[in-house]
Amino acid sequence: MFKKILYPTDFSDVSKKAIDYIKQLKEGGSETVIVLHVIDQRGMRAIERYASANSVEIEQRIMDDTKQELKIIEDELKKSGFKVKTMIQRGVPLLEILKAEEEEDISVMVIGSHGKTNLEEIFLGSVSEKVARRCKSPVLIIKR
Amino acid sequence: MFKKILYPTDFSDVSKKAIDYIKQLKEGGSETVIVLHVIDQRGMRAIERYASANSVEIEQRIMDDTKQELKIIEDELKKSGFKVKTMIQRGVPLLEILKAEEEEDISVMVIGSHGKTNLEEIFLGSVSEKVARRCKSPVLIIKR
């Protein structure tokens, strides 16, 4: 029922808070966590446009940072006895999260209520709200 | 972390499906479930207006049905080892749910994604969406 967790994270504080709840779900029968980070392609396009001189370098730095953040989460969850799979996708976060949900045949999603892009979310609604509306799996939303 | 669950229910199918998830949370450390049903006061006003002759009788019947439904849920959860508290409130579901959340100092809310009033929700958004946006606790939304 909580066997395979999809945990989309943008490494925000509330997103990190979700890890404690995931650990607690271990007792409820969770075995595997898929940790997904989406590199927002819209942000990347802006970088390409305005910082074209070294966009490759910037992309590389983003990728390195992402891998490092994911590694920390992976280690922490493994220490709690989970099987962990990390995923990095490029695209629109909402769509990539829904795609992973479908492809990975998950039991439950655990997600932070708000991401890092706070101002945008006030006007357009948070990614987690949209995910919760459109996903098929049960979703546990962790609040700030 | 999942110790005290608030479970608002309108007795819809998806709401009943949530009970299985609540049971599974038992292993994750849940002890108490507060089962809340809100009698929508807007519906009651319509009854009073159009069926005034025997509105008292209708209200009584609604109350009896509600108690009976709650009793079934209470028994099922008690059988799984939970402490159970049932609550019947009159008012606007969203507001009563948020009130109970605050007053009962809960750890997590478990709620069905859609209620019985399906058509209304398509246009106005579901109660659970609004609850998830405005509550302070983590909320587990169970989908159809």
Side-chain angles (χ1 to χ4, degrees):
Chain A
M1 199 152 267
F2 296 118
K3 205 167 172 184
K4 195 173 178 184
I5 298 172
L6 175 60
Y7 166 49
T9 175
D10 70 346
F11 311 129
S12 60
D13 288 346
V14 62
S15 192
K16 283 176 183 165
K17 195 173 158 190
I19 295 176
D20 294 333
Y21 286 89
I22 291 174
K23 285 183 190 166
Q24 193 66 26
L25 283 178
K26 187 86 181 59
E27 311 304 315
S30 296
E31 293 174 3
T32 305
V33 185
I34 297 163
V35 187
L36 167 65
H37 178 78
V38 183
I39 297 175
D40 197 323
Q41 210 53 35
R42 295 165 296 186
M44 289 312 294
R45 277 201 298 271
I47 288 171
E48 275 158 27
R49 194 157 169 184
Y50 295 106
S52 61
N54 42 21
S55 73
V56 173
E57 196 190 305
I58 294 170
E59 276 205 41
Q60 190 55 50
R61 217 160 61 208
I62 290 172
M63 189 53 92
D64 291 347
D65 288 352
T66 302
K67 281 182 186 162
Q68 207 175 327
E69 292 261 28
L70 284 176
K71 184 76 177 69
I72 294 167
I73 297 169
E74 184 179 1
D75 288 349
E76 187 173 350
L77 289 172
K78 275 187 175 164
K79 214 177 285 173
S80 298
F82 284 104
K83 274 179 268 179
V84 181
K85 175 178 170 181
T86 61
M87 287 172 74
I88 302 173
Q89 299 291 1
R90 289 152 182 274
V92 177
L94 170 66
L95 301 180
E96 293 302 323
I97 292 167
L98 293 175
K99 210 164 92 185
E101 184 208 7
E102 200 164 311
E103 285 173 2
E104 296 289 340
D105 190 28
I106 61 159
S107 323
V108 64
M109 196 168 339
V110 181
I111 192 167
S113 62
H114 290 81
K116 282 187 165 174
T117 52
N118 250 311
L119 192 67
E120 187 190 320
E121 291 192 339
I122 289 166
F123 292 103
L124 302 176
S126 69
V127 172
S128 69
E129 258 175 42
K130 290 175 199 149
V131 166
R133 193 177 302 145
R134 294 179 54 177
C135 69
K136 294 182 186 105
S137 321
V139 51
L140 176 61
I141 302 175
I142 310 303
K143 316 286 286 200
R144 272 185 291 220
Chain B
M1 198 153 270
F2 297 118
K3 205 166 170 183
K4 195 172 178 185
I5 298 172
L6 175 61
Y7 166 49
T9 176
D10 70 346
F11 311 128
S12 60
D13 287 346
V14 63
S15 191
K16 283 176 183 166
K17 195 174 158 189
I19 295 175
D20 293 332
Y21 286 88
I22 290 174
K23 286 183 189 167
Q24 193 66 25
L25 283 179
K26 186 88 179 61
E27 310 305 316
S30 296
E31 294 175 3
T32 307
V33 185
I34 297 164
V35 187
L36 167 66
H37 179 78
V38 182
I39 297 174
D40 196 324
Q41 210 54 33
R42 294 163 298 185
M44 289 311 294
R45 278 201 296 270
I47 288 171
E48 275 159 24
R49 191 154 172 189
Y50 296 105
S52 61
N54 43 20
S55 74
V56 174
E57 194 189 306
I58 294 170
E59 276 205 43
Q60 190 55 50
R61 217 159 61 209
I62 289 172
M63 190 53 94
D64 290 348
D65 288 352
T66 302
K67 282 182 184 160
Q68 206 174 327
E69 293 260 29
L70 283 177
K71 184 77 176 73
I72 294 167
I73 296 169
E74 184 180 3
D75 289 348
E76 188 173 349
L77 289 172
K78 275 188 175 164
K79 214 177 284 171
S80 299
F82 284 104
K83 275 179 267 179
V84 182
K85 174 177 170 180
T86 61
M87 286 172 72
I88 302 173
Q89 298 292 1
R90 289 151 182 274
V92 178
L94 170 66
L95 302 180
E96 293 302 323
I97 292 167
L98 293 175
K99 210 164 91 183
E101 184 208 6
E102 199 165 310
E103 285 173 2
E104 296 289 339
D105 190 27
I106 61 160
S107 322
V108 64
M109 194 165 345
V110 181
I111 191 166
S113 62
H114 291 81
K116 280 188 164 171
T117 52
N118 250 309
L119 193 65
E120 187 189 319
E121 292 191 338
I122 290 168
F123 293 103
L124 302 178
S126 70
V127 172
S128 70
E129 259 174 43
K130 290 175 199 148
V131 167
R133 192 176 304 145
R134 294 179 55 175
C135 70
K136 294 184 187 101
S137 320
V139 51
L140 176 62
I141 302 175
I142 309 301
K143 316 284 289 201
R144 274 184 290 220

